[in-house]
Amino acid sequence: MATTTTSLNTKLSTEEKDAFVRNTAALGMTPSAAIKVFVHMFNECGGFPFEVRRQMSDETTTYLSAEDYERFANALDTAVPAATRELLDREFTWES
């Protein structure tokens, strides 16, 4: 049984591509082989085969005062109002 292949294309900056080519060569592989390894591992893992997270900065981080944090922590211990619980338990159907 013959295997059907297809192409996968992406755009990179010249600097990113040059670094990728250098690094794959240093590992003794072609850029195409490295991408195939990545795709194989991505599919095997059901997602990225490594941790992916965004960089946090002070510009995107909210800091609470001790008083505000205490109020927030106490609110976590209070019961959820019935109307909120009803919304959380509701099954939604999204129309396309």
Side-chain angles (χ1 to χ4, degrees):
M1 182 165 138
T3 301
T4 303
T5 61
T6 187
S7 295
L8 177 67
N9 300 306
T10 189
K11 298 281 185 185
L12 302 170
S13 70
T14 302
E15 294 80 16
E16 287 175 314
K17 181 183 177 189
D18 291 345
F20 186 64
V21 170
R22 279 193 313 274
N23 284 309
T24 56
L27 291 170
M29 54 190 339
T30 64
S32 181
I35 291 169
K36 286 177 185 177
V37 168
F38 172 76
V39 170
H40 173 79
M41 291 306 300
F42 188 94
N43 291 335
E44 184 129 324
C45 294
F48 287 97
F50 46 82
E51 187 172 332
V52 176
R53 65 170 73 181
R54 64 187 177 94
Q55 293 293 324
M56 297 298 290
S57 71
D58 284 343
E59 296 169 2
T60 60
T61 303
T62 301
Y63 294 95
L64 298 177
S65 67
E67 179 182 316
D68 288 338
Y69 176 78
E70 188 66 31
R71 287 185 17 229
F72 170 75
N74 288 337
L76 293 175
D77 292 332
T78 61
V80 176
T84 302
R85 174 57 49 206
E86 180 185 320
L87 284 172
L88 291 172
D89 292 339
R90 193 178 295 174
E91 298 262 344
F92 290 96
T93 304
W94 302 103
E95 295 181 16
S96 50

